[in-house]
Amino acid sequence: MMDIRVRSLLEDIEIRLKLSLNDRQRTQLVQYVEMLQEETNSQRLIGDATTASLYYKHIYDSLYPLLLKQLPEGEILDLGTGAGLPGIPLKICLPNRTIYLMDANRRRINFLRKVTRELNLSGLNLLAGRAEDWGRDTAYRERFTVIVSRAVAPAVVLVELTLPLSSVGGLVLFYKGPRGPAEFKEAAAALQICGGVIEDYWQYDLPTGESRSIYMVIKNKPTPNDYPRRVGKPAKDPLR
Ligand code: SAH
């Protein structure tokens, strides 16, 4: 039986985001939040972890793009997924899509392996390692039609990490806070170099009041082979 408070949080999120989920999807979201809660209690995988904040700051925020856009066909990558955000909520709500979750942190990948098993998710793939390395792997370079990334690095760094993995014509969605506009101003040269243009952006408030933004970049030409640079370089010496 689903806790009544949890049920009403989920209903509220579905209404706000115009989603219509089935019982299996609702159960999976609740299971995932419970696993996050257990995990954060022991390992502090995410910041503050009250039930309402988990649903609003993490589930609602992760699913927000579904209100904005129909994501184009093809494989989806969540780069720097951490404990699975936004990738796991997106996978639950888009069960027929193939999603890859990438993270450098082994412990987080192990947690995600457990989530995949317990929620019985299929079409979900885990990539352990650094985006700088995956971006030079010919099996993954320029492969994904949709890339999402949330709370991983400043835009100027993320552009260099994400665009090499995007197919030409693919979309990259950057989940940002109120500093989105300033970060993207700083990322203009990186976008130019790596072959992306800002197509659209949205500002919105979480039900908890915090402001967020989403930037949508389209990859409009191939990324030169010099990028991404070696591990650590994009953050240490951002493209200007
Ligand atoms: N997207 C999640 C996690 C944010 S924490 C969320 O919204 O909660 C940032 C995560 O990005 C960490 O788990 C870290 O291991 C990962 N990360 C940072 N730089 C990375 C890189 N270059 N390649 C792969 N993963 C990276």
Side-chain angles (χ1 to χ4, degrees):
M1 267 300 280
M2 201 181 286
D3 182 280
I4 184 141
R5 210 161 59 96
V6 166
R7 182 183 294 274
S8 69
L9 282 167
L10 262 184
E11 258 169 33
D12 185 50
I13 289 173
E14 284 184 52
I15 292 168
R16 288 172 187 263
L17 298 180
K18 305 190 199 313
L19 294 171
S20 66
L21 301 179
N22 60 35
D23 284 342
R24 171 156 200 257
Q25 292 171 311
R26 292 190 187 118
T27 305
Q28 287 174 320
L29 283 173
V30 172
Q31 270 180 290
Y32 174 57
V33 170
E34 285 172 359
M35 291 183 78
L36 272 183
Q37 245 160 344
E38 275 167 36
E39 198 69 9
T40 44
N41 291 340
S42 54
Q43 293 176 19
R44 311 193 67 249
L45 278 187
I46 47 178
D48 102 68
T50 66
T51 304
S53 82
L54 282 170
Y55 280 93
Y56 284 137
K57 284 196 199 166
H58 299 298
I59 304 299
Y60 175 89
D61 194 34
S62 291
L63 296 175
Y64 196 82
L66 301 181
L67 181 66
L68 303 174
K69 251 206 104 57
Q70 171 120 30
L71 301 178
E73 297 280 300
E75 295 175 321
I76 300 173
L77 169 69
D78 177 10
L79 192 154
T81 188
L85 298 164
I88 295 284
L90 288 173
K91 175 65 206 172
I92 291 170
C93 295
L94 302 169
N96 300 324
R97 302 294 303 262
T98 299
I99 303 198
Y100 285 76
L101 306 181
M102 180 184 291
D103 205 282
N105 184 315
R106 284 254 155 222
R107 178 187 273 183
R108 292 177 185 205
I109 292 290
N110 288 339
F111 171 71
L112 292 168
R113 199 163 286 127
K114 212 165 78 183
V115 172
T116 307
R117 201 169 346 111
E118 291 196 16
L119 273 58
N120 209 353
L121 295 169
S122 57
L124 186 68
N125 306 286
L126 307 178
L127 298 174
R130 307 271 314 189
E132 293 93 326
D133 293 325
W134 289 116
R136 266 182 272 111
D137 183 323
T138 50
Y140 292 94
R141 189 177 178 87
E142 310 218 305
R143 167 169 178 156
F144 297 97
T145 58
V146 180
I147 300 179
V148 291
S149 191
R150 175 178 184 260
V152 174
V156 62
V157 178
L158 265 190
V159 162
E160 183 174 351
L161 298 181
T162 53
L163 283 178
L165 290 156
S166 169
S167 61
V168 174
L171 290 185
V172 188
L173 293 172
F174 299 87
Y175 290 65
K176 287 287 166 194
R179 278 191 29 83
E183 285 192 30
F184 273 89
K185 209 175 219 176
E186 200 184 77
L191 279 171
Q192 177 93 39
I193 292 168
C194 296
V197 285
I198 297 172
E199 172 81 0
D200 213 341
Y201 87 101
W202 298 267
Q203 283 179 292
Y204 59 103
D205 290 333
L206 299 180
T208 49
E210 287 124 298
S211 52
R212 292 282 199 267
S213 57
I214 288 181
Y215 275 72
M216 187 173 93
V217 164
I218 296 205
K219 170 135 155 191
N220 62 351
K221 53 180 204 272
T223 304
N225 280 330
D226 295 346
Y227 307 98
R229 291 167 294 165
R230 64 185 155 73
V231 168
K233 191 83 174 159
K236 204 180 316 160
D237 180 19
L239 294 172
R240 307 263 172 218

